[in-house]
Amino acid sequence: MASGGLQLLGFVLAFLGWIGIIISTALPQWKMASYAGDNIVTAQALYEGLWMSCAMQSTGQIQCKVYDSLLKLESTLQATRALMVAAIVVGLLAIFVAMIGMKCMKCMEDDQTKKMRMAVFGGVMFIVAGLAALVATSWYGNRVAQAFYDPYTPVNTRYEFGSALFIGWAAASLTLLGGAFLCCSCPRRETSYPPTRGYPKNASSTGKDYV
């Protein structure tokens, strides 16, 4: 029961992390315009994401523009896109694989060994998805920080971390943690030792002396 509870906990955490990766990928707030330093606070907030750039007016109206050409994008943005999409696809496959290996499911009940291996394999796939998302968000955040602290970057073009980046970090952590729990939920195989042979006991003396 303990391993089954750990397995269920790992699956729920990994599934929530996978949902967070999707939300982070779709949101346009990967970086937001910084008003620190000599910047003048304007009546609009600028955001940039993986797929579009948006401007939010002080009235609450949001205008977004999808990036026109894929080839004109920076290599960092293209690589981040690819890693996040790969994390979503691998996470989707991990959900189906892990569900087959869950103890609460009736699939493959005849072969418990293969069922446990499917759960562990699903956990490994969740870990791969979490690592892909973590690398993508960390790489993108590192580029944003480098541009912010670069003295040659104009003050009015500096950006800070957006909310989608923090969601991506949290989602990647949940996916990694859930995948690790799934991998640890497999019970250890007990070592079986051959039965010890009993030595024949000496016949108990009947009290009679034999000549």
PDB file of all heavy atoms in Angstrom, residues 9-35:
ATOM      1  N   LEU A   9       0.888   9.529  -5.754  1.00  0.00           N
ATOM      2  CA  LEU A   9       1.367  10.879  -5.488  1.00  0.00           C
ATOM      3  C   LEU A   9       2.303  11.359  -6.597  1.00  0.00           C
ATOM      4  O   LEU A   9       2.207  12.503  -7.062  1.00  0.00           O
ATOM      5  CB  LEU A   9       2.085  10.916  -4.135  1.00  0.00           C
ATOM      6  CG  LEU A   9       2.740  12.250  -3.746  1.00  0.00           C
ATOM      7  CD1 LEU A   9       1.695  13.340  -3.617  1.00  0.00           C
ATOM      8  CD2 LEU A   9       3.520  12.107  -2.452  1.00  0.00           C
ATOM      9  N   GLY A  10       3.205  10.481  -7.026  1.00  0.00           N
ATOM     10  CA  GLY A  10       4.116  10.845  -8.104  1.00  0.00           C
ATOM     11  C   GLY A  10       3.393  11.145  -9.403  1.00  0.00           C
ATOM     12  O   GLY A  10       3.730  12.103 -10.112  1.00  0.00           O
ATOM     13  N   PHE A  11       2.372  10.350  -9.705  1.00  0.00           N
ATOM     14  CA  PHE A  11       1.622  10.574 -10.947  1.00  0.00           C
ATOM     15  C   PHE A  11       0.872  11.900 -10.901  1.00  0.00           C
ATOM     16  O   PHE A  11       0.849  12.646 -11.883  1.00  0.00           O
ATOM     17  CB  PHE A  11       0.650   9.420 -11.183  1.00  0.00           C
ATOM     18  CG  PHE A  11      -0.141   9.553 -12.447  1.00  0.00           C
ATOM     19  CD1 PHE A  11       0.406   9.187 -13.675  1.00  0.00           C
ATOM     20  CD2 PHE A  11      -1.441  10.049 -12.425  1.00  0.00           C
ATOM     21  CE1 PHE A  11      -0.318   9.321 -14.847  1.00  0.00           C
ATOM     22  CE2 PHE A  11      -2.175  10.187 -13.588  1.00  0.00           C
ATOM     23  CZ  PHE A  11      -1.610   9.814 -14.805  1.00  0.00           C
ATOM     24  N   VAL A  12       0.261  12.203  -9.756  1.00  0.00           N
ATOM     25  CA  VAL A  12      -0.483  13.463  -9.640  1.00  0.00           C
ATOM     26  C   VAL A  12       0.454  14.664  -9.758  1.00  0.00           C
ATOM     27  O   VAL A  12       0.157  15.643 -10.472  1.00  0.00           O
ATOM     28  CB  VAL A  12      -1.255  13.494  -8.305  1.00  0.00           C
ATOM     29  CG1 VAL A  12      -1.856  14.871  -8.064  1.00  0.00           C
ATOM     30  CG2 VAL A  12      -2.355  12.446  -8.298  1.00  0.00           C
ATOM     31  N   LEU A  13       1.599  14.610  -9.085  1.00  0.00           N
ATOM     32  CA  LEU A  13       2.558  15.712  -9.168  1.00  0.00           C
ATOM     33  C   LEU A  13       3.071  15.886 -10.595  1.00  0.00           C
ATOM     34  O   LEU A  13       3.175  17.019 -11.102  1.00  0.00           O
ATOM     35  CB  LEU A  13       3.725  15.464  -8.217  1.00  0.00           C
ATOM     36  CG  LEU A  13       3.428  15.566  -6.715  1.00  0.00           C
ATOM     37  CD1 LEU A  13       4.669  15.216  -5.915  1.00  0.00           C
ATOM     38  CD2 LEU A  13       2.942  16.961  -6.367  1.00  0.00           C
ATOM     39  N   ALA A  14       3.410  14.780 -11.246  1.00  0.00           N
ATOM     40  CA  ALA A  14       3.919  14.865 -12.614  1.00  0.00           C
ATOM     41  C   ALA A  14       2.846  15.374 -13.578  1.00  0.00           C
ATOM     42  O   ALA A  14       3.139  16.157 -14.491  1.00  0.00           O
ATOM     43  CB  ALA A  14       4.433  13.495 -13.062  1.00  0.00           C
ATOM     44  N   PHE A  15       1.605  14.952 -13.369  1.00  0.00           N
ATOM     45  CA  PHE A  15       0.523  15.415 -14.240  1.00  0.00           C
ATOM     46  C   PHE A  15       0.288  16.912 -14.067  1.00  0.00           C
ATOM     47  O   PHE A  15       0.113  17.643 -15.057  1.00  0.00           O
ATOM     48  CB  PHE A  15      -0.758  14.641 -13.925  1.00  0.00           C
ATOM     49  CG  PHE A  15      -1.929  15.028 -14.789  1.00  0.00           C
ATOM     50  CD1 PHE A  15      -2.019  14.577 -16.102  1.00  0.00           C
ATOM     51  CD2 PHE A  15      -2.934  15.843 -14.296  1.00  0.00           C
ATOM     52  CE1 PHE A  15      -3.087  14.931 -16.901  1.00  0.00           C
ATOM     53  CE2 PHE A  15      -4.007  16.205 -15.077  1.00  0.00           C
ATOM     54  CZ  PHE A  15      -4.089  15.754 -16.393  1.00  0.00           C
ATOM     55  N   LEU A  16       0.293  17.391 -12.814  1.00  0.00           N
ATOM     56  CA  LEU A  16       0.148  18.825 -12.578  1.00  0.00           C
ATOM     57  C   LEU A  16       1.310  19.607 -13.183  1.00  0.00           C
ATOM     58  O   LEU A  16       1.123  20.695 -13.742  1.00  0.00           O
ATOM     59  CB  LEU A  16       0.049  19.101 -11.080  1.00  0.00           C
ATOM     60  CG  LEU A  16      -1.218  18.601 -10.372  1.00  0.00           C
ATOM     61  CD1 LEU A  16      -1.138  18.876  -8.876  1.00  0.00           C
ATOM     62  CD2 LEU A  16      -2.461  19.242 -10.972  1.00  0.00           C
ATOM     63  N   GLY A  17       2.518  19.051 -13.078  1.00  0.00           N
ATOM     64  CA  GLY A  17       3.667  19.700 -13.699  1.00  0.00           C
ATOM     65  C   GLY A  17       3.548  19.761 -15.207  1.00  0.00           C
ATOM     66  O   GLY A  17       3.906  20.769 -15.830  1.00  0.00           O
ATOM     67  N   TRP A  18       3.019  18.698 -15.806  1.00  0.00           N
ATOM     68  CA  TRP A  18       2.823  18.686 -17.264  1.00  0.00           C
ATOM     69  C   TRP A  18       1.804  19.743 -17.692  1.00  0.00           C
ATOM     70  O   TRP A  18       1.998  20.436 -18.693  1.00  0.00           O
ATOM     71  CB  TRP A  18       2.373  17.298 -17.692  1.00  0.00           C
ATOM     72  CG  TRP A  18       2.120  17.153 -19.154  1.00  0.00           C
ATOM     73  CD1 TRP A  18       3.063  17.122 -20.157  1.00  0.00           C
ATOM     74  CD2 TRP A  18       0.848  17.016 -19.805  1.00  0.00           C
ATOM     75  NE1 TRP A  18       2.450  16.979 -21.382  1.00  0.00           N
ATOM     76  CE2 TRP A  18       1.094  16.909 -21.192  1.00  0.00           C
ATOM     77  CE3 TRP A  18      -0.458  16.969 -19.334  1.00  0.00           C
ATOM     78  CZ2 TRP A  18       0.067  16.762 -22.116  1.00  0.00           C
ATOM     79  CZ3 TRP A  18      -1.488  16.824 -20.253  1.00  0.00           C
ATOM     80  CH2 TRP A  18      -1.226  16.719 -21.627  1.00  0.00           C
ATOM     81  N   ILE A  19       0.733  19.896 -16.921  1.00  0.00           N
ATOM     82  CA  ILE A  19      -0.247  20.947 -17.203  1.00  0.00           C
ATOM     83  C   ILE A  19       0.412  22.323 -17.092  1.00  0.00           C
ATOM     84  O   ILE A  19       0.177  23.225 -17.913  1.00  0.00           O
ATOM     85  CB  ILE A  19      -1.447  20.846 -16.245  1.00  0.00           C
ATOM     86  CG1 ILE A  19      -2.210  19.533 -16.478  1.00  0.00           C
ATOM     87  CG2 ILE A  19      -2.391  22.035 -16.427  1.00  0.00           C
ATOM     88  CD1 ILE A  19      -2.849  19.419 -17.831  1.00  0.00           C
ATOM     89  N   GLY A  20       1.255  22.493 -16.085  1.00  0.00           N
ATOM     90  CA  GLY A  20       1.970  23.756 -15.930  1.00  0.00           C
ATOM     91  C   GLY A  20       2.902  24.048 -17.090  1.00  0.00           C
ATOM     92  O   GLY A  20       3.059  25.214 -17.497  1.00  0.00           O
ATOM     93  N   ILE A  21       3.534  23.015 -17.641  1.00  0.00           N
ATOM     94  CA  ILE A  21       4.411  23.214 -18.807  1.00  0.00           C
ATOM     95  C   ILE A  21       3.604  23.707 -19.997  1.00  0.00           C
ATOM     96  O   ILE A  21       4.043  24.603 -20.741  1.00  0.00           O
ATOM     97  CB  ILE A  21       5.148  21.904 -19.137  1.00  0.00           C
ATOM     98  CG1 ILE A  21       6.151  21.559 -18.040  1.00  0.00           C
ATOM     99  CG2 ILE A  21       5.867  22.009 -20.474  1.00  0.00           C
ATOM    100  CD1 ILE A  21       6.819  20.220 -18.216  1.00  0.00           C
ATOM    101  N   ILE A  22       2.423  23.151 -20.193  1.00  0.00           N
ATOM    102  CA  ILE A  22       1.564  23.606 -21.291  1.00  0.00           C
ATOM    103  C   ILE A  22       1.164  25.070 -21.094  1.00  0.00           C
ATOM    104  O   ILE A  22       1.214  25.882 -22.036  1.00  0.00           O
ATOM    105  CB  ILE A  22       0.311  22.713 -21.390  1.00  0.00           C
ATOM    106  CG1 ILE A  22       0.700  21.285 -21.757  1.00  0.00           C
ATOM    107  CG2 ILE A  22      -0.667  23.269 -22.419  1.00  0.00           C
ATOM    108  CD1 ILE A  22      -0.463  20.325 -21.802  1.00  0.00           C
ATOM    109  N   ILE A  23       0.763  25.425 -19.863  1.00  0.00           N
ATOM    110  CA  ILE A  23       0.366  26.810 -19.583  1.00  0.00           C
ATOM    111  C   ILE A  23       1.534  27.756 -19.796  1.00  0.00           C
ATOM    112  O   ILE A  23       1.388  28.831 -20.406  1.00  0.00           O
ATOM    113  CB  ILE A  23      -0.171  26.913 -18.147  1.00  0.00           C
ATOM    114  CG1 ILE A  23      -1.466  26.099 -17.997  1.00  0.00           C
ATOM    115  CG2 ILE A  23      -0.424  28.366 -17.765  1.00  0.00           C
ATOM    116  CD1 ILE A  23      -1.983  26.028 -16.573  1.00  0.00           C
ATOM    117  N   SER A  24       2.704  27.375 -19.319  1.00  0.00           N
ATOM    118  CA  SER A  24       3.890  28.224 -19.483  1.00  0.00           C
ATOM    119  C   SER A  24       4.239  28.414 -20.960  1.00  0.00           C
ATOM    120  O   SER A  24       4.609  29.511 -21.379  1.00  0.00           O
ATOM    121  CB  SER A  24       5.078  27.607 -18.738  1.00  0.00           C
ATOM    122  OG  SER A  24       6.250  28.336 -18.968  1.00  0.00           O
ATOM    123  N   THR A  25       4.109  27.355 -21.739  1.00  0.00           N
ATOM    124  CA  THR A  25       4.430  27.459 -23.163  1.00  0.00           C
ATOM    125  C   THR A  25       3.465  28.381 -23.891  1.00  0.00           C
ATOM    126  O   THR A  25       3.857  29.122 -24.800  1.00  0.00           O
ATOM    127  CB  THR A  25       4.402  26.062 -23.810  1.00  0.00           C
ATOM    128  OG1 THR A  25       5.263  25.192 -23.089  1.00  0.00           O
ATOM    129  CG2 THR A  25       4.858  26.125 -25.259  1.00  0.00           C
ATOM    130  N   ALA A  26       2.206  28.359 -23.492  1.00  0.00           N
ATOM    131  CA  ALA A  26       1.192  29.147 -24.197  1.00  0.00           C
ATOM    132  C   ALA A  26       1.183  30.615 -23.788  1.00  0.00           C
ATOM    133  O   ALA A  26       0.813  31.475 -24.592  1.00  0.00           O
ATOM    134  CB  ALA A  26      -0.185  28.540 -23.965  1.00  0.00           C
ATOM    135  N   LEU A  27       1.584  30.921 -22.560  1.00  0.00           N
ATOM    136  CA  LEU A  27       1.512  32.304 -22.084  1.00  0.00           C
ATOM    137  C   LEU A  27       2.535  33.186 -22.788  1.00  0.00           C
ATOM    138  O   LEU A  27       3.652  32.751 -23.082  1.00  0.00           O
ATOM    139  CB  LEU A  27       1.749  32.354 -20.576  1.00  0.00           C
ATOM    140  CG  LEU A  27       0.607  31.857 -19.682  1.00  0.00           C
ATOM    141  CD1 LEU A  27       1.036  31.908 -18.218  1.00  0.00           C
ATOM    142  CD2 LEU A  27      -0.650  32.681 -19.891  1.00  0.00           C
ATOM    143  N   PRO A  28       2.183  34.458 -23.033  1.00  0.00           N
ATOM    144  CA  PRO A  28       3.132  35.374 -23.681  1.00  0.00           C
ATOM    145  C   PRO A  28       4.050  36.103 -22.700  1.00  0.00           C
ATOM    146  O   PRO A  28       4.918  36.865 -23.133  1.00  0.00           O
ATOM    147  CB  PRO A  28       2.205  36.379 -24.381  1.00  0.00           C
ATOM    148  CG  PRO A  28       0.989  36.418 -23.532  1.00  0.00           C
ATOM    149  CD  PRO A  28       0.839  35.043 -22.936  1.00  0.00           C
ATOM    150  N   GLN A  29       3.893  35.901 -21.397  1.00  0.00           N
ATOM    151  CA  GLN A  29       4.682  36.660 -20.424  1.00  0.00           C
ATOM    152  C   GLN A  29       5.977  35.947 -20.061  1.00  0.00           C
ATOM    153  O   GLN A  29       6.247  35.703 -18.883  1.00  0.00           O
ATOM    154  CB  GLN A  29       3.856  36.926 -19.155  1.00  0.00           C
ATOM    155  CG  GLN A  29       2.726  37.898 -19.347  1.00  0.00           C
ATOM    156  CD  GLN A  29       1.431  37.198 -19.721  1.00  0.00           C
ATOM    157  OE1 GLN A  29       1.420  35.994 -19.930  1.00  0.00           O
ATOM    158  NE2 GLN A  29       0.347  37.950 -19.814  1.00  0.00           N
ATOM    159  N   TRP A  30       6.787  35.606 -21.047  1.00  0.00           N
ATOM    160  CA  TRP A  30       8.090  35.007 -20.738  1.00  0.00           C
ATOM    161  C   TRP A  30       9.079  36.079 -20.304  1.00  0.00           C
ATOM    162  O   TRP A  30       9.949  35.819 -19.485  1.00  0.00           O
ATOM    163  CB  TRP A  30       8.618  34.236 -21.948  1.00  0.00           C
ATOM    164  CG  TRP A  30       8.077  32.846 -22.002  1.00  0.00           C
ATOM    165  CD1 TRP A  30       6.780  32.480 -22.197  1.00  0.00           C
ATOM    166  CD2 TRP A  30       8.804  31.629 -21.834  1.00  0.00           C
ATOM    167  NE1 TRP A  30       6.647  31.114 -22.166  1.00  0.00           N
ATOM    168  CE2 TRP A  30       7.877  30.563 -21.955  1.00  0.00           C
ATOM    169  CE3 TRP A  30      10.135  31.321 -21.619  1.00  0.00           C
ATOM    170  CZ2 TRP A  30       8.252  29.228 -21.842  1.00  0.00           C
ATOM    171  CZ3 TRP A  30      10.521  29.987 -21.516  1.00  0.00           C
ATOM    172  CH2 TRP A  30       9.579  28.963 -21.624  1.00  0.00           C
ATOM    173  N   LYS A  31       8.968  37.246 -20.846  1.00  0.00           N
ATOM    174  CA  LYS A  31       9.746  38.383 -20.361  1.00  0.00           C
ATOM    175  C   LYS A  31       8.912  39.642 -20.519  1.00  0.00           C
ATOM    176  O   LYS A  31       8.089  39.754 -21.430  1.00  0.00           O
ATOM    177  CB  LYS A  31      11.083  38.508 -21.102  1.00  0.00           C
ATOM    178  CG  LYS A  31      10.989  38.775 -22.595  1.00  0.00           C
ATOM    179  CD  LYS A  31      12.377  38.887 -23.195  1.00  0.00           C
ATOM    180  CE  LYS A  31      12.331  39.171 -24.703  1.00  0.00           C
ATOM    181  NZ  LYS A  31      13.686  39.291 -25.278  1.00  0.00           N
ATOM    182  N   MET A  32       9.116  40.581 -19.602  1.00  0.00           N
ATOM    183  CA  MET A  32       8.338  41.804 -19.599  1.00  0.00           C
ATOM    184  C   MET A  32       9.288  42.998 -19.554  1.00  0.00           C
ATOM    185  O   MET A  32      10.391  42.911 -19.008  1.00  0.00           O
ATOM    186  CB  MET A  32       7.388  41.834 -18.395  1.00  0.00           C
ATOM    187  CG  MET A  32       8.071  41.677 -17.064  1.00  0.00           C
ATOM    188  SD  MET A  32       6.913  41.633 -15.669  1.00  0.00           S
ATOM    189  CE  MET A  32       6.207  43.269 -15.801  1.00  0.00           C
ATOM    190  N   ALA A  33       8.836  44.083 -20.150  1.00  0.00           N
ATOM    191  CA  ALA A  33       9.678  45.278 -20.213  1.00  0.00           C
ATOM    192  C   ALA A  33       9.977  45.792 -18.820  1.00  0.00           C
ATOM    193  O   ALA A  33       9.112  45.814 -17.937  1.00  0.00           O
ATOM    194  CB  ALA A  33       8.983  46.357 -21.044  1.00  0.00           C
ATOM    195  N   SER A  34      11.239  46.171 -18.606  1.00  0.00           N
ATOM    196  CA  SER A  34      11.675  46.659 -17.307  1.00  0.00           C
ATOM    197  C   SER A  34      11.580  48.173 -17.265  1.00  0.00           C
ATOM    198  O   SER A  34      11.949  48.867 -18.221  1.00  0.00           O
ATOM    199  CB  SER A  34      13.117  46.229 -17.038  1.00  0.00           C
ATOM    200  OG  SER A  34      13.604  46.806 -15.854  1.00  0.00           O
ATOM    201  N   TYR A  35      11.090  48.682 -16.137  1.00  0.00           N
ATOM    202  CA  TYR A  35      11.010  50.126 -15.940  1.00  0.00           C
ATOM    203  C   TYR A  35      11.981  50.584 -14.871  1.00  0.00           C
ATOM    204  O   TYR A  35      11.806  51.629 -14.274  1.00  0.00           O
ATOM    205  CB  TYR A  35       9.577  50.519 -15.555  1.00  0.00           C
ATOM    206  CG  TYR A  35       8.557  50.153 -16.602  1.00  0.00           C
ATOM    207  CD1 TYR A  35       7.668  49.106 -16.394  1.00  0.00           C
ATOM    208  CD2 TYR A  35       8.513  50.828 -17.807  1.00  0.00           C
ATOM    209  CE1 TYR A  35       6.743  48.756 -17.353  1.00  0.00           C
ATOM    210  CE2 TYR A  35       7.592  50.485 -18.780  1.00  0.00           C
ATOM    211  CZ  TYR A  35       6.704  49.455 -18.547  1.00  0.00           C
ATOM    212  OH  TYR A  35       5.795  49.110 -19.514  1.00  0.00           O
TER     213      TYR A  35
END
